[in-house]
Amino acid sequence: PAVIATSDRREIYSKGDNLYLGVLDASSNIVFRLNNNVLMNITTDGYVTKTSTPRFHVYGSPSFNGSDVCVNFNNTIMNVGSHFNNSNGRFTAPISGTYMFALGIWSQQGATSGTRFITLTKNGTDQPAGCNNSNTAQEQLTITAAMDLNVNDYIEIRRAGLNIQGSTPRNYFSGYLLG
């Protein structure tokens, strides 16, 4: 390989059409920085952490707006990049990729009759990820789904025919960029 630059514990070299970069910190981890901010860290054991990966987790006793979209979870544990908007219940993709979403809604018993379900919507259109309940008891409705999103696509939770039972640990919504 042709070494392009080396300094202390840093090395940049090329081999054929490939460019390799190695930056070691004091613990021998490979660290990728931009403007002195750590973007990715690879430990000597092979663990990879990415501090700026879009992700969020909210929970509480949310409500539904006039369009039956779940909004206003009471608590935000994380919202890296601020891509989840609690007031309109939307996660908006900052970059194209595959995202993982998980949610749980605790439904009230006998609040309505007929079809009762929750679903994930992408840009306002129901996706093949949903859950219904029998209306005979309080039930936990859960969804876990991986979805391909383009930049500025948005995801919401939509309901039909159910009311939420207030419950801080049982009502949650989270998402994460897989890659």
Side-chain angles (χ1 to χ4, degrees), residues 59-170:
Y59 69 98
S61 295
S63 57
F64 288 100
N65 67 17
S67 300
D68 287 327
V69 172
C70 192
V71 297
N72 295 321
F73 285 87
N74 304 94
N75 305 289
T76 300
I77 292 177
M78 72 178 76
N79 191 6
V80 175
S82 299
H83 305 294
F84 179 77
N85 182 326
N86 199 30
S87 64
N88 66 14
R90 287 183 180 177
F91 171 80
T92 303
I95 188 169
S96 296
T98 302
Y99 292 78
M100 179 65 75
F101 296 97
L103 67 101
I105 298 294
W106 188 243
S107 68
Q108 288 181 347
Q109 176 182 358
T112 61
S113 61
T115 303
R116 296 160 45 103
F117 71 89
I118 57 171
T119 187
L120 286 175
T121 67
K122 177 179 168 181
N123 302 326
T125 302
D126 288 353
Q127 298 300 294
C131 185
N132 67 350
N133 103 352
S134 63
N135 196 35
T136 59
Q138 291 176 330
E139 292 180 339
Q140 180 73 16
L141 306 177
T142 60
I143 298 173
T144 303
M147 303 173 105
D148 289 329
L149 302 180
N150 292 317
V151 66
N152 293 323
D153 281 349
Y154 63 89
I155 299 296
E156 299 169 314
I157 303 170
R158 191 178 67 79
R159 68 146 178 200
L162 68 83
N163 290 326
I164 293 177
Q165 175 67 38
S167 178
T168 295
R170 293 183 185 99

